[in-house]
Amino acid sequence: MRSYYLSTALAGAAMAFVTLPAAAQGISDNIVKIGILNDQSGVYADFGGKNSYEAARMAVEDFGGTVLDVPVQVVTADHQNKADIASNIARQWYDTQQVDTVMELTTSSVGLAVQALSKDAKKITINTGAATTELTGEQCSPYGFHWVYDTHMLAVGTGGALVEAGGESWYFLTADYAFGYSLEENTANFVKEKGGTVLGAVRHPLATNDFSSFLLQAQSSGAQVIGLANAGADTQNAIKQAAEFGITQGGQKLAALLFTLAEVHGLGLDAAQGLNLTETFYWDRTDETRAFAKRFQERTGAMPNMVHAGTYSAVTSYLKAVEAAGTDDSDAVAAKLRELPVHDVFAPNGRVQANGRMVTDAYLMRVKAPSESTAPYDYYEIVATIPGDQAFLPAEQSGCPLVE
């Protein structure tokens, strides 16, 4: 590592001949620190959790462990799905630990709160865990970026597939916070645009254990599709309890609007078979994704879902932007993040819009039956590829004030 200091006795004579230290090149404190802030103990612990931290560490190691000749360090913390706790951690990281960027940020209320705080602090956030389109919509930030997925993409993918398959009437079972509202609204609008109808909705608390009353309301609506506008363990529990009520046996379909490989694994193929879902990454899609997934599994014991692979991509892209900018100054790095293409194992042909939305292809999946699965984590059949320009809103339609 280059030293910040020159001997005062030699400084005057040597200044003209010494290579400038990293700080003079633009690295603020001779280290680049990346914070992974997410749920590590609650309903979304498998969705992102500690495995996102491992994905970030993998990205740093694959980058070489340094950028502009200074070390890169990854720190992590559990925000417990609480916006106030997340904001306090981020503020402490910025004020006392010289953290340069915060990523992952599962839970939309957390993502919005930390993005707003980071905007004031002029710190970059790259959200790989939350879903709300508000992150790149009306509440966008010049320092805020949204990787991996959002509620519009989920509505186009899973919602669109079920409408086209004949699911014209919908009833929503929705998590009672920003993410659930956004996912319900985006999917409902898409259903209506396709000629379908929305018969109603019921909202449940985050991390509830008893879905019986909510499922009975959805069942009694007579809707052809019950849209689960929730995620993580909430979706798993809703699907399990729906089976106990015989909802799918009665002819109604369940739409798991945000469901990933981690939750399918936790639920098991017996219960998850036949579900349609949408992810922007599947480990068994190409030779490159399989090689990445094997390395990831060796250190975590699990195959990566889109959040884990997307966090790897976000860290890699941030380091490339720092390198290209020649500094960790947030304005310069943000400009490079918008300028540079995204070519990695997660997004082979990605690009970042003016509002911070990273656009990449999405994949509509069908969960296999147990008899169709030939190996551990062989869970998906790719039904369709949704081009990024169809999966995500154009920046000019996002409502982001940054977009002219």
Side-chain angles (χ1 to χ4, degrees), residues 19 23 26 29 60 72 165 167 187 196 227 242 313 349 384:
T19 300
D29 47 21
V60 171
V72 181
T187 308
S313 172
N349 293 292

Side-chain angles (χ1 to χ4, degrees), residues 124-140:
I124 287 174
T125 57
I126 305 183
N127 200 305
T128 63
T132 179
T133 52
E134 283 298 294
L135 287 162
T136 51
E138 292 183 1
Q139 298 188 52
C140 68

Side-chain angles (χ1 to χ4, degrees), residues 12 40 130 139 156 195 257 263 271 390-391 398 400:
Q40 298 178 11
Q139 298 188 52
V156 170
L257 296 172
E263 290 76 52
Q390 296 177 26
S398 67
C400 173

Side-chain angles (χ1 to χ4, degrees), residues 19-99:
T19 300
L20 290 177
Q25 294 177 4
I27 298 298
S28 55
D29 47 21
N30 217 33
I31 190 170
V32 171
K33 280 191 181 181
I34 298 168
I36 301 299
L37 184 56
N38 61 11
D39 175 15
Q40 298 178 11
S41 57
V43 67
Y44 301 137
D46 292 335
F47 180 76
K50 294 180 180 179
N51 284 350
S52 286
Y53 172 58
E54 287 301 321
R57 293 180 62 210
M58 276 184 67
V60 171
E61 292 167 15
D62 289 351
F63 200 80
T66 65
V67 62
L68 298 177
D69 296 326
V70 303
V72 181
Q73 180 182 356
V74 183
V75 297
T76 190
D78 183 352
H79 61 46
Q80 301 173 47
N81 293 313
K82 297 179 180 178
D84 57 341
I85 291 176
S87 296
N88 288 337
I89 292 170
R91 186 178 292 108
Q92 183 180 20
W93 276 354
Y94 294 153
D95 292 346
T96 67
Q97 298 186 39
Q98 293 77 52
V99 169

Side-chain angles (χ1 to χ4, degrees), residues 14 20 29 36 64 72 97 108 173 200 203 236 244 326 336 348 393:
L20 290 177
D29 47 21
I36 301 299
V72 181
Q97 298 186 39
S108 291
L173 196 157
R203 291 175 174 172
Q236 287 178 265
E244 295 171 6
K336 286 298 180 182
L393 275 173

Side-chain angles (χ1 to χ4, degrees), residues 22-349:
Q25 294 177 4
I27 298 298
S28 55
D29 47 21
N30 217 33
I31 190 170
V32 171
K33 280 191 181 181
I34 298 168
I36 301 299
L37 184 56
N38 61 11
D39 175 15
Q40 298 178 11
S41 57
V43 67
Y44 301 137
D46 292 335
F47 180 76
K50 294 180 180 179
N51 284 350
S52 286
Y53 172 58
E54 287 301 321
R57 293 180 62 210
M58 276 184 67
V60 171
E61 292 167 15
D62 289 351
F63 200 80
T66 65
V67 62
L68 298 177
D69 296 326
V70 303
V72 181
Q73 180 182 356
V74 183
V75 297
T76 190
D78 183 352
H79 61 46
Q80 301 173 47
N81 293 313
K82 297 179 180 178
D84 57 341
I85 291 176
S87 296
N88 288 337
I89 292 170
R91 186 178 292 108
Q92 183 180 20
W93 276 354
Y94 294 153
D95 292 346
T96 67
Q97 298 186 39
Q98 293 77 52
V99 169
D100 297 288
T101 176
V102 177
M103 302 187 193
E104 223 268 41
L105 296 168
T106 303
T107 313
S108 291
S109 54
V110 164
L112 291 168
V114 174
Q115 180 169 286
L117 168 72
S118 302
K119 179 181 178 181
D120 292 338
K122 292 189 175 182
K123 296 283 190 176
I124 287 174
T125 57
I126 305 183
N127 200 305
T128 63
T132 179
T133 52
E134 283 298 294
L135 287 162
T136 51
E138 292 183 1
Q139 298 188 52
C140 68
S141 162
Y143 307 106
F145 297 84
H146 200 181
W147 244 243
V148 183
Y149 74 106
D150 62 25
T151 52
H152 182 270
M153 180 274 282
L154 298 171
V156 170
T158 310
L162 287 169
V163 172
E164 290 175 6
E168 296 181 355
S169 61
W170 285 61
Y171 189 94
F172 288 94
L173 196 157
T174 302
D176 193 10
Y177 74 103
F179 152 67
Y181 311 151
S182 182
L183 184 52
E184 177 190 320
E185 180 182 13
N186 277 267
T187 308
N189 288 341
F190 193 79
V191 167
K192 293 172 185 175
E193 288 174 9
K194 292 290 185 179
T197 59
V198 175
L199 302 182
V202 61
R203 291 175 174 172
H204 69 82
L206 179 66
T208 188
N209 291 318
D210 185 3
F211 283 88
S212 57
S213 64
F214 310 116
L215 287 167
L216 287 171
Q217 290 182 62
Q219 186 179 38
S220 65
S221 73
Q224 293 170 307
V225 179
I226 299 173
L228 302 178
N230 49 22
D234 278 344
T235 308
Q236 287 178 265
N237 288 332
I239 292 171
K240 288 177 182 177
Q241 292 174 39
E244 295 171 6
F245 286 105
I247 288 177
T248 54
Q249 293 91 326
Q252 291 175 297
K253 294 181 179 179
L254 296 179
L257 296 172
L258 177 51
F259 211 51
T260 76
L261 191 79
E263 290 76 52
V264 171
H265 183 72
L267 188 59
L269 289 184
D270 282 332
Q273 62 182 303
L275 286 173
N276 287 115
L277 55 87
T278 308
E279 292 204 56
T280 43
F281 177 86
Y282 181 41
W283 73 270
D284 200 18
R285 193 176 64 83
T286 68
D287 288 342
E288 185 181 11
T289 59
R290 283 186 283 272
F292 169 80
K294 181 180 179 181
R295 292 196 298 123
F296 184 88
Q297 186 181 35
E298 287 172 352
R299 60 193 295 162
T300 66
M303 285 296 184
N305 65 7
M306 65 178 174
V307 176
H308 306 137
T311 300
Y312 177 94
S313 172
V315 170
T316 302
S317 292
Y318 176 79
L319 294 175
K320 287 180 178 179
V322 170
E323 185 174 63
T327 177
D328 62 355
D329 173 77
S330 292
D331 288 296
V333 174
K336 286 298 180 182
L337 280 167
R338 288 178 168 85
E339 173 187 328
L340 297 173
V342 182
H343 291 303
D344 55 38
V345 68
F346 171 75
N349 293 292

